[in-house]
PDB file of all heavy atoms in Angstrom:
ATOM      1  N   ILE A  81     119.669  66.929  81.471  1.00  0.00           N
ATOM      2  CA  ILE A  81     120.125  68.190  82.052  1.00  0.00           C
ATOM      3  C   ILE A  81     121.647  68.169  82.027  1.00  0.00           C
ATOM      4  O   ILE A  81     122.276  67.213  82.499  1.00  0.00           O
ATOM      5  CB  ILE A  81     119.664  68.375  83.503  1.00  0.00           C
ATOM      6  CG1 ILE A  81     118.144  68.384  83.621  1.00  0.00           C
ATOM      7  CG2 ILE A  81     120.223  69.677  84.069  1.00  0.00           C
ATOM      8  CD1 ILE A  81     117.665  68.519  85.062  1.00  0.00           C
ATOM      9  N   SER A  82     122.229  69.251  81.534  1.00  0.00           N
ATOM     10  CA  SER A  82     123.676  69.461  81.626  1.00  0.00           C
ATOM     11  C   SER A  82     123.916  70.580  82.625  1.00  0.00           C
ATOM     12  O   SER A  82     123.249  71.612  82.575  1.00  0.00           O
ATOM     13  CB  SER A  82     124.250  69.842  80.267  1.00  0.00           C
ATOM     14  OG  SER A  82     124.085  68.789  79.351  1.00  0.00           O
ATOM     15  N   PHE A  83     124.854  70.363  83.546  1.00  0.00           N
ATOM     16  CA  PHE A  83     125.071  71.318  84.638  1.00  0.00           C
ATOM     17  C   PHE A  83     126.532  71.730  84.684  1.00  0.00           C
ATOM     18  O   PHE A  83     127.431  70.885  84.680  1.00  0.00           O
ATOM     19  CB  PHE A  83     124.656  70.683  85.965  1.00  0.00           C
ATOM     20  CG  PHE A  83     124.668  71.633  87.108  1.00  0.00           C
ATOM     21  CD1 PHE A  83     123.589  72.452  87.358  1.00  0.00           C
ATOM     22  CD2 PHE A  83     125.774  71.729  87.937  1.00  0.00           C
ATOM     23  CE1 PHE A  83     123.593  73.349  88.406  1.00  0.00           C
ATOM     24  CE2 PHE A  83     125.790  72.624  88.993  1.00  0.00           C
ATOM     25  CZ  PHE A  83     124.695  73.433  89.231  1.00  0.00           C
ATOM     26  N   ASN A  84     126.768  73.033  84.715  1.00  0.00           N
ATOM     27  CA  ASN A  84     128.121  73.579  84.802  1.00  0.00           C
ATOM     28  C   ASN A  84     128.195  74.435  86.057  1.00  0.00           C
ATOM     29  O   ASN A  84     127.773  75.592  86.049  1.00  0.00           O
ATOM     30  CB  ASN A  84     128.448  74.406  83.552  1.00  0.00           C
ATOM     31  CG  ASN A  84     129.884  74.893  83.540  1.00  0.00           C
ATOM     32  OD1 ASN A  84     130.497  75.137  84.578  1.00  0.00           O
ATOM     33  ND2 ASN A  84     130.440  75.033  82.349  1.00  0.00           N
ATOM     34  N   LYS A  85     128.718  73.850  87.131  1.00  0.00           N
ATOM     35  CA  LYS A  85     128.717  74.535  88.424  1.00  0.00           C
ATOM     36  C   LYS A  85     129.594  75.785  88.407  1.00  0.00           C
ATOM     37  O   LYS A  85     129.219  76.819  88.965  1.00  0.00           O
ATOM     38  CB  LYS A  85     129.187  73.584  89.517  1.00  0.00           C
ATOM     39  CG  LYS A  85     129.072  74.134  90.928  1.00  0.00           C
ATOM     40  CD  LYS A  85     129.434  73.086  91.955  1.00  0.00           C
ATOM     41  CE  LYS A  85     129.275  73.629  93.365  1.00  0.00           C
ATOM     42  NZ  LYS A  85     129.590  72.593  94.397  1.00  0.00           N
ATOM     43  N   SER A  86     130.740  75.706  87.773  1.00  0.00           N
ATOM     44  CA  SER A  86     131.656  76.854  87.791  1.00  0.00           C
ATOM     45  C   SER A  86     131.072  78.044  87.039  1.00  0.00           C
ATOM     46  O   SER A  86     131.277  79.199  87.420  1.00  0.00           O
ATOM     47  CB  SER A  86     133.011  76.466  87.198  1.00  0.00           C
ATOM     48  OG  SER A  86     132.856  76.051  85.855  1.00  0.00           O
ATOM     49  N   ALA A  87     130.335  77.761  85.985  1.00  0.00           N
ATOM     50  CA  ALA A  87     129.706  78.826  85.206  1.00  0.00           C
ATOM     51  C   ALA A  87     128.342  79.210  85.740  1.00  0.00           C
ATOM     52  O   ALA A  87     127.743  80.188  85.276  1.00  0.00           O
ATOM     53  CB  ALA A  87     129.591  78.405  83.745  1.00  0.00           C
ATOM     54  N   LYS A  88     127.833  78.432  86.700  1.00  0.00           N
ATOM     55  CA  LYS A  88     126.495  78.637  87.255  1.00  0.00           C
ATOM     56  C   LYS A  88     125.438  78.640  86.147  1.00  0.00           C
ATOM     57  O   LYS A  88     124.605  79.553  86.041  1.00  0.00           O
ATOM     58  CB  LYS A  88     126.442  79.905  88.108  1.00  0.00           C
ATOM     59  CG  LYS A  88     127.283  79.783  89.372  1.00  0.00           C
ATOM     60  CD  LYS A  88     127.113  80.968  90.318  1.00  0.00           C
ATOM     61  CE  LYS A  88     127.829  82.174  89.794  1.00  0.00           C
ATOM     62  NZ  LYS A  88     127.808  83.309  90.746  1.00  0.00           N
ATOM     63  N   GLN A  89     125.529  77.603  85.326  1.00  0.00           N
ATOM     64  CA  GLN A  89     124.595  77.464  84.211  1.00  0.00           C
ATOM     65  C   GLN A  89     124.111  76.019  84.127  1.00  0.00           C
ATOM     66  O   GLN A  89     124.842  75.089  84.496  1.00  0.00           O
ATOM     67  CB  GLN A  89     125.268  77.860  82.890  1.00  0.00           C
ATOM     68  CG  GLN A  89     125.668  79.324  82.815  1.00  0.00           C
ATOM     69  CD  GLN A  89     126.424  79.637  81.537  1.00  0.00           C
ATOM     70  OE1 GLN A  89     126.879  78.753  80.824  1.00  0.00           O
ATOM     71  NE2 GLN A  89     126.547  80.917  81.232  1.00  0.00           N
ATOM     72  N   PHE A  90     122.900  75.857  83.655  1.00  0.00           N
ATOM     73  CA  PHE A  90     122.404  74.520  83.387  1.00  0.00           C
ATOM     74  C   PHE A  90     121.437  74.586  82.217  1.00  0.00           C
ATOM     75  O   PHE A  90     120.857  75.638  81.936  1.00  0.00           O
ATOM     76  CB  PHE A  90     121.765  73.871  84.622  1.00  0.00           C
ATOM     77  CG  PHE A  90     120.615  74.623  85.235  1.00  0.00           C
ATOM     78  CD1 PHE A  90     119.332  74.108  85.150  1.00  0.00           C
ATOM     79  CD2 PHE A  90     120.809  75.813  85.931  1.00  0.00           C
ATOM     80  CE1 PHE A  90     118.266  74.772  85.740  1.00  0.00           C
ATOM     81  CE2 PHE A  90     119.749  76.485  86.520  1.00  0.00           C
ATOM     82  CZ  PHE A  90     118.476  75.964  86.417  1.00  0.00           C
ATOM     83  N   SER A  91     121.307  73.470  81.533  1.00  0.00           N
ATOM     84  CA  SER A  91     120.495  73.471  80.328  1.00  0.00           C
ATOM     85  C   SER A  91     119.695  72.173  80.213  1.00  0.00           C
ATOM     86  O   SER A  91     120.064  71.146  80.780  1.00  0.00           O
ATOM     87  CB  SER A  91     121.367  73.659  79.089  1.00  0.00           C
ATOM     88  OG  SER A  91     122.307  72.610  78.993  1.00  0.00           O
ATOM     89  N   LEU A  92     118.617  72.265  79.480  1.00  0.00           N
ATOM     90  CA  LEU A  92     117.758  71.112  79.185  1.00  0.00           C
ATOM     91  C   LEU A  92     117.896  70.797  77.703  1.00  0.00           C
ATOM     92  O   LEU A  92     117.756  71.692  76.867  1.00  0.00           O
ATOM     93  CB  LEU A  92     116.302  71.426  79.517  1.00  0.00           C
ATOM     94  CG  LEU A  92     115.287  70.341  79.160  1.00  0.00           C
ATOM     95  CD1 LEU A  92     115.464  69.120  80.044  1.00  0.00           C
ATOM     96  CD2 LEU A  92     113.860  70.881  79.254  1.00  0.00           C
ATOM     97  N   HIS A  93     118.179  69.534  77.418  1.00  0.00           N
ATOM     98  CA  HIS A  93     118.241  69.063  76.041  1.00  0.00           C
ATOM     99  C   HIS A  93     117.124  68.036  75.845  1.00  0.00           C
ATOM    100  O   HIS A  93     117.017  67.087  76.638  1.00  0.00           O
ATOM    101  CB  HIS A  93     119.585  68.392  75.749  1.00  0.00           C
ATOM    102  CG  HIS A  93     120.751  69.325  75.840  1.00  0.00           C
ATOM    103  ND1 HIS A  93     121.644  69.498  74.812  1.00  0.00           N
ATOM    104  CD2 HIS A  93     121.170  70.147  76.834  1.00  0.00           C
ATOM    105  CE1 HIS A  93     122.567  70.376  75.165  1.00  0.00           C
ATOM    106  NE2 HIS A  93     122.296  70.782  76.389  1.00  0.00           N
ATOM    107  N   ILE A  94     116.340  68.248  74.808  1.00  0.00           N
ATOM    108  CA  ILE A  94     115.302  67.284  74.455  1.00  0.00           C
ATOM    109  C   ILE A  94     115.699  66.664  73.124  1.00  0.00           C
ATOM    110  O   ILE A  94     115.712  67.353  72.090  1.00  0.00           O
ATOM    111  CB  ILE A  94     113.909  67.945  74.345  1.00  0.00           C
ATOM    112  CG1 ILE A  94     113.577  68.710  75.626  1.00  0.00           C
ATOM    113  CG2 ILE A  94     112.846  66.884  74.064  1.00  0.00           C
ATOM    114  CD1 ILE A  94     112.283  69.515  75.545  1.00  0.00           C
ATOM    115  N   MET A  95     116.064  65.419  73.172  1.00  0.00           N
ATOM    116  CA  MET A  95     116.477  64.710  71.957  1.00  0.00           C
ATOM    117  C   MET A  95     115.243  64.184  71.231  1.00  0.00           C
ATOM    118  O   MET A  95     114.214  63.901  71.856  1.00  0.00           O
ATOM    119  CB  MET A  95     117.392  63.539  72.315  1.00  0.00           C
ATOM    120  CG  MET A  95     118.533  63.879  73.257  1.00  0.00           C
ATOM    121  SD  MET A  95     119.646  65.124  72.578  1.00  0.00           S
ATOM    122  CE  MET A  95     120.446  64.115  71.320  1.00  0.00           C
ATOM    123  N   ASP A  96     115.368  64.059  69.902  1.00  0.00           N
ATOM    124  CA  ASP A  96     114.268  63.503  69.096  1.00  0.00           C
ATOM    125  C   ASP A  96     112.947  64.171  69.494  1.00  0.00           C
ATOM    126  O   ASP A  96     111.974  63.509  69.855  1.00  0.00           O
ATOM    127  CB  ASP A  96     114.192  61.984  69.300  1.00  0.00           C
ATOM    128  CG  ASP A  96     113.192  61.309  68.386  1.00  0.00           C
ATOM    129  OD1 ASP A  96     112.904  61.857  67.309  1.00  0.00           O
ATOM    130  OD2 ASP A  96     112.675  60.236  68.770  1.00  0.00           O
ATOM    131  N   SER A  97     112.917  65.482  69.446  1.00  0.00           N
ATOM    132  CA  SER A  97     111.745  66.240  69.883  1.00  0.00           C
ATOM    133  C   SER A  97     110.497  65.805  69.112  1.00  0.00           C
ATOM    134  O   SER A  97     110.551  65.555  67.897  1.00  0.00           O
ATOM    135  CB  SER A  97     111.987  67.737  69.677  1.00  0.00           C
ATOM    136  OG  SER A  97     113.097  68.184  70.435  1.00  0.00           O
ATOM    137  N   GLN A  98     109.397  65.725  69.843  1.00  0.00           N
ATOM    138  CA  GLN A  98     108.120  65.279  69.291  1.00  0.00           C
ATOM    139  C   GLN A  98     107.051  66.369  69.448  1.00  0.00           C
ATOM    140  O   GLN A  98     107.131  67.184  70.369  1.00  0.00           O
ATOM    141  CB  GLN A  98     107.659  64.010  70.003  1.00  0.00           C
ATOM    142  CG  GLN A  98     108.595  62.841  69.869  1.00  0.00           C
ATOM    143  CD  GLN A  98     108.737  62.380  68.431  1.00  0.00           C
ATOM    144  OE1 GLN A  98     107.739  62.181  67.722  1.00  0.00           O
ATOM    145  NE2 GLN A  98     109.975  62.219  67.973  1.00  0.00           N
ATOM    146  N   PRO A  99     106.046  66.370  68.582  1.00  0.00           N
ATOM    147  CA  PRO A  99     104.972  67.373  68.725  1.00  0.00           C
ATOM    148  C   PRO A  99     104.346  67.373  70.118  1.00  0.00           C
ATOM    149  O   PRO A  99     103.949  68.423  70.626  1.00  0.00           O
ATOM    150  CB  PRO A  99     103.971  66.948  67.645  1.00  0.00           C
ATOM    151  CG  PRO A  99     104.816  66.310  66.584  1.00  0.00           C
ATOM    152  CD  PRO A  99     105.897  65.581  67.340  1.00  0.00           C
ATOM    153  N   GLY A 100     104.297  66.228  70.763  1.00  0.00           N
ATOM    154  CA  GLY A 100     103.756  66.139  72.120  1.00  0.00           C
ATOM    155  C   GLY A 100     104.610  66.830  73.173  1.00  0.00           C
ATOM    156  O   GLY A 100     104.160  67.022  74.308  1.00  0.00           O
ATOM    157  N   ASP A 101     105.836  67.190  72.788  1.00  0.00           N
ATOM    158  CA  ASP A 101     106.714  67.939  73.703  1.00  0.00           C
ATOM    159  C   ASP A 101     106.390  69.429  73.692  1.00  0.00           C
ATOM    160  O   ASP A 101     106.955  70.187  74.490  1.00  0.00           O
ATOM    161  CB  ASP A 101     108.177  67.755  73.314  1.00  0.00           C
ATOM    162  CG  ASP A 101     108.647  66.315  73.400  1.00  0.00           C
ATOM    163  OD1 ASP A 101     108.110  65.566  74.245  1.00  0.00           O
ATOM    164  OD2 ASP A 101     109.560  65.929  72.636  1.00  0.00           O
ATOM    165  N   SER A 102     105.531  69.849  72.766  1.00  0.00           N
ATOM    166  CA  SER A 102     105.185  71.269  72.675  1.00  0.00           C
ATOM    167  C   SER A 102     104.522  71.715  73.969  1.00  0.00           C
ATOM    168  O   SER A 102     103.460  71.199  74.355  1.00  0.00           O
ATOM    169  CB  SER A 102     104.261  71.515  71.484  1.00  0.00           C
ATOM    170  OG  SER A 102     104.904  71.176  70.276  1.00  0.00           O
ATOM    171  N   ALA A 103     105.151  72.641  74.662  1.00  0.00           N
ATOM    172  CA  ALA A 103     104.731  73.075  75.992  1.00  0.00           C
ATOM    173  C   ALA A 103     105.616  74.250  76.386  1.00  0.00           C
ATOM    174  O   ALA A 103     106.520  74.641  75.648  1.00  0.00           O
ATOM    175  CB  ALA A 103     104.879  71.935  77.003  1.00  0.00           C
ATOM    176  N   THR A 104     105.367  74.777  77.572  1.00  0.00           N
ATOM    177  CA  THR A 104     106.255  75.785  78.129  1.00  0.00           C
ATOM    178  C   THR A 104     107.136  75.117  79.181  1.00  0.00           C
ATOM    179  O   THR A 104     106.639  74.362  80.020  1.00  0.00           O
ATOM    180  CB  THR A 104     105.468  76.941  78.760  1.00  0.00           C
ATOM    181  OG1 THR A 104     104.668  77.549  77.742  1.00  0.00           O
ATOM    182  CG2 THR A 104     106.415  77.993  79.336  1.00  0.00           C
TER     183      THR A 104
END
Side-chain angles (χ1 to χ4, degrees):
Chain A
I81 299 178
S82 296
F83 188 84
N84 185 330
K85 187 175 182 178
S86 61
K88 293 187 285 186
Q89 295 176 346
F90 58 111
S91 60
L92 176 69
H93 296 235
I94 306 174
M95 311 299 288
D96 187 25
S97 299
Q98 299 297 311
D101 298 330
S102 298
T104 299

